Every structure is written in structure tokens, then in C-alpha cells.
Amino acid sequence: MSRVLVVAVAVALGGCAMVGPDYLRPESPLPAAYVEPVPSGTLAIPQAWWTLYNDATLEELVRSGLERNADVAIASARVEQAEAAVREANATLFFPQVLGDAGVSRARTVPKGTDTTIGLGLATSFEVDVWGKLRRAERSVRAELLASRYGRDTVSLTLVASIARTYFAVRSLDSQYVASEEIYRAVDESAVLARKRADAGI
């Protein structure tokens, strides 16, 4: 009985034992950082790229669109607002804040008549930026200025691209219309010639 028990325990322990090597994840050599390939040549696109077509009509349409478009005006206003915020942040960072107050009051009394009191007040304060609060605020508004400039440029670029695409589509349709008229005249002349040949018995 004890032998059977010993054999059973040995078999059970043998089944629980790990067989074979442990799993090791295969090595996959990856670069530490992504390196963007540098182009061989420089491709410089001018800011007013639509002038490369030397088309006066297109240039006038773009100029009118940039001047009259509401989205461009709103984006430009946001840029001006961000520039004002940057100036305010710089003033708070480097210069003391000066606050002025003025007031006039009148009071009428029976024995003395009317008394006029004029009050002027002036207060100044300057915060020493020990913990970098004002510097970080200045960086924040400067980042907002850059974002508003990029937004304005994006709106302007999208508008100009839409104007140019529509203009060239219209020019293409005009060319197709002229070609269709020429084809119609050629077919009409062929029909007249064929009619004359039929009338002549050919």
C-alpha cells in the first residue's frame, strides 16, 4: 500500500515539474528614435503662390476674396487680440502695474451752499515673479498668439486654394465649351458637304 502511495506521489510531482526551457521573448531590434529622411533638395514655395500663374484675373479674385471674406477677418481679429494679450503679459512681467482713480462729488448744505469735492487716487503694484507664474503666463499667451497666426494662415490658404480651384474649373469648362462649338461647326460643315454630294448623285 505504501509503495502504491509513493509511486502515485512521484507521478504527481513529475507531472507538476516544468519541462523544457523557459519562454524568452525574441529580440526585435528597433531604433531608439524615428529619424525623418532629409530631402536632397530644398523646395521653396512662395507665400503668394497663385502669382506663379501670371493670371491677372486670378490675382484679382484672390485679393478680393482675402479682403472681403468674413472668416479671414475673424482670424485676423483673433491674431490682433492675441498680440494685445502678449503685450499685456510682457508689461505685467517687466513693469509695475499703475492704477488711477478720479471722482467728483457735490453736496448742498443750507448754511454753506454747494460744496464740490474732487478726489484723485493713484496706486501701483509690482509682483516679483519668484515661482515663475508670470513667465509661464507669458509663454502661454505667446503660444496662443502662434496658434492664432497659424489659424489665420490656414483659413487664408484654404480660401485661396478654393478660389484657384474654382477659377481653373471655370476656365476648363470654358475651354470645353469652345472645343464643343468647334466640333459642332466641323460636323455641320461635313453634313452640308454630304448633303451637296447626295444632291449631286454621289
Side-chain angles (χ1 to χ4, degrees):
M1 184 69 178
S2 60
R3 291 181 179 179
V4 175
L5 182 61
V6 170
V7 171
V9 171
V11 171
L13 292 176
C16 295
M18 292 183 293
V19 180
D22 295 336
Y23 171 76
L24 295 177
R25 177 175 296 191
E27 295 182 1
S28 55
L30 296 175
Y34 175 75
V35 179
E36 186 174 359
V38 180
S40 57
T42 57
L43 181 60
I45 300 177
Q47 186 174 3
W49 54 268
W50 57 91
T51 58
L52 297 175
Y53 295 101
N54 294 324
D55 194 319
T57 304
L58 176 60
E59 294 178 8
E60 177 61 23
L61 290 173
V62 170
R63 185 194 62 79
S64 177
L66 291 176
E67 289 179 356
R68 300 180 182 181
N69 187 267
D71 294 333
V72 175
I74 293 173
S76 300
R78 289 175 179 169
V79 171
E80 294 177 359
Q81 182 180 4
E83 290 175 349
V86 169
R87 289 193 297 269
E88 181 181 356
N90 288 332
T92 305
L93 184 60
F94 298 107
F95 301 101
Q97 187 176 8
V98 179
L99 300 176
D101 187 15
V104 178
S105 63
R106 288 187 177 183
R108 176 174 291 182
T109 59
V110 175
K112 295 182 179 180
T114 303
D115 291 337
T116 301
T117 303
I118 300 176
L120 295 175
L122 185 64
T124 180
S125 64
F126 182 75
E127 180 179 354
V128 180
D129 193 18
V130 177
W131 308 109
K133 169 187 173 184
L134 299 179
R135 289 192 297 270
R136 293 190 181 276
E138 192 268 343
R139 290 181 183 177
S140 174
V141 294
R142 191 171 295 277
E144 291 178 1
L145 172 61
L146 293 177
S148 60
R149 285 178 178 173
Y150 290 142
R152 178 197 58 189
D153 295 343
T154 301
V155 171
S156 300
L157 182 61
T158 303
L159 174 64
V160 172
S162 177
I163 292 174
R165 183 170 56 250
T166 305
Y167 175 72
F168 289 129
V170 172
R171 291 292 301 271
S172 176
L173 291 175
D174 290 341
S175 300
Q176 293 177 19
Y177 178 75
V178 172
S180 299
E181 285 189 333
E182 292 178 356
I183 293 173
Y184 174 76
R185 284 195 296 268
V187 171
D188 187 54
E189 291 175 359
S190 299
V192 171
L193 181 60
R195 191 176 299 110
K196 290 181 179 179
R197 289 168 61 88
D199 294 340
I202 301 176

